[in-house]
Amino acid sequence: MKVYTSKEELKDEIQKTYTKFIAEFDNIPEDMKDLRAEEIDRTPAENLAYQVGWTTLVLKWEQDERNGLEVKTPSDQFKWNQLRELYQWFTDTYAKLSLQELRTTLDMNIQKIYEMIDSMSDKDIFLPHRRKWADDATKSAVWEVYKFIHVNTVAPFGTFRTKIRKWKKFMM
């Protein structure tokens, strides 16, 4: 996993990977958003729904902790051994939206993640044991907040960009 030396470097990497990822949806017609390509595990709508779901959760974890609430990761309804069910919940909740609505929601989430990063100190982002939600999310590993941000933005933007490009080759 990439190690970042500053908040700006983290935000720049999110921006770089997000810009490439979201541009892949520019020429996908709305009437194709739910079409599944045989070798690709997600439709375009499901691809975006997954990203909306995870970025929404990251923001919720931080907001709940700031509000003094008990944070349950990955969510109030699902445990870590129920990720398949969580992904289905993302699909059921978000994939019914139009591609434009999904893109707008994801854009807003990314902007809020930038704001979250800006509102936190370097220590809060880059040192362990600075957020209870980060400590509670991993039972055996120690993860700093930036790692949760990375694995829910930068990493899937790259992976899912490849998947949506393959989908486009099969479907368009």
Side-chain angles (χ1 to χ4, degrees):
M1 181 181 313
K2 182 175 172 75
V3 176
Y4 299 92
T5 59
S6 71
K7 294 191 290 187
E8 288 307 313
E9 183 183 7
L10 174 59
K11 290 183 346 185
D12 288 348
E13 191 67 16
I14 294 168
Q15 181 63 40
K16 181 176 82 176
T17 56
Y18 179 63
T19 299
K20 290 176 182 177
F21 167 75
I22 205 68
E24 294 296 337
F25 295 88
D26 286 349
N27 61 351
I28 297 176
E30 184 65 31
D31 64 353
M32 294 182 75
K33 77 178 189 82
D34 297 316
L35 296 180
R36 187 171 312 278
E38 197 170 302
E39 297 182 20
I40 311 300
D41 61 344
R42 289 185 176 91
T43 68
E46 290 169 346
N47 192 310
L48 287 167
Y50 180 94
Q51 293 304 129
V52 168
W54 276 114
T55 55
T56 298
L57 285 178
V58 169
L59 292 164
K60 182 179 183 331
W61 298 338
E62 180 63 16
Q63 190 60 51
D64 284 355
E65 183 156 328
R66 287 180 184 231
N67 290 337
L69 301 173
E70 178 185 354
V71 179
K72 295 181 181 171
T73 58
S75 79
D76 297 335
Q77 301 162 333
F78 301 97
K79 298 181 185 309
W80 287 108
N81 64 353
Q82 296 176 301
L83 289 179
R84 182 177 298 162
E85 293 88 349
L86 176 62
Y87 300 159
Q88 186 61 52
W89 187 87
F90 290 161
T91 296
D92 294 345
T93 303
Y94 300 115
K96 61 188 170 197
L97 299 174
S98 71
L99 289 177
Q100 186 56 51
E101 290 169 319
L102 286 161
R103 290 176 67 155
T104 299
T105 303
L106 188 54
D107 284 342
M108 289 186 321
N109 281 1
I110 295 302
Q111 292 307 312
K112 288 176 186 175
I113 286 174
Y114 294 150
E115 292 168 12
M116 181 181 99
I117 291 168
D118 287 339
S119 73
M120 299 172 82
S121 71
D122 286 345
K123 288 181 181 180
D124 288 342
I125 294 175
F126 298 110
L127 294 179
H129 311 301
R130 301 293 294 193
R131 287 296 190 269
K132 187 170 179 3
W133 63 259
D135 286 346
D136 290 351
T138 56
K139 298 301 178 202
S140 59
V142 175
W143 273 34
E144 300 82 0
V145 168
Y146 85 86
K147 289 181 180 178
F148 285 96
I149 295 171
H150 174 88
V151 300
N152 290 295
T153 58
V154 175
F157 291 155
T159 303
F160 288 1
R161 178 176 179 231
T162 301
K163 288 182 179 194
I164 202 67
R165 292 180 95 181
K166 285 181 183 177
W167 179 91
K168 287 163 68 173
K169 284 182 182 179
F170 282 109
M171 304 302 286
M172 296 181 75

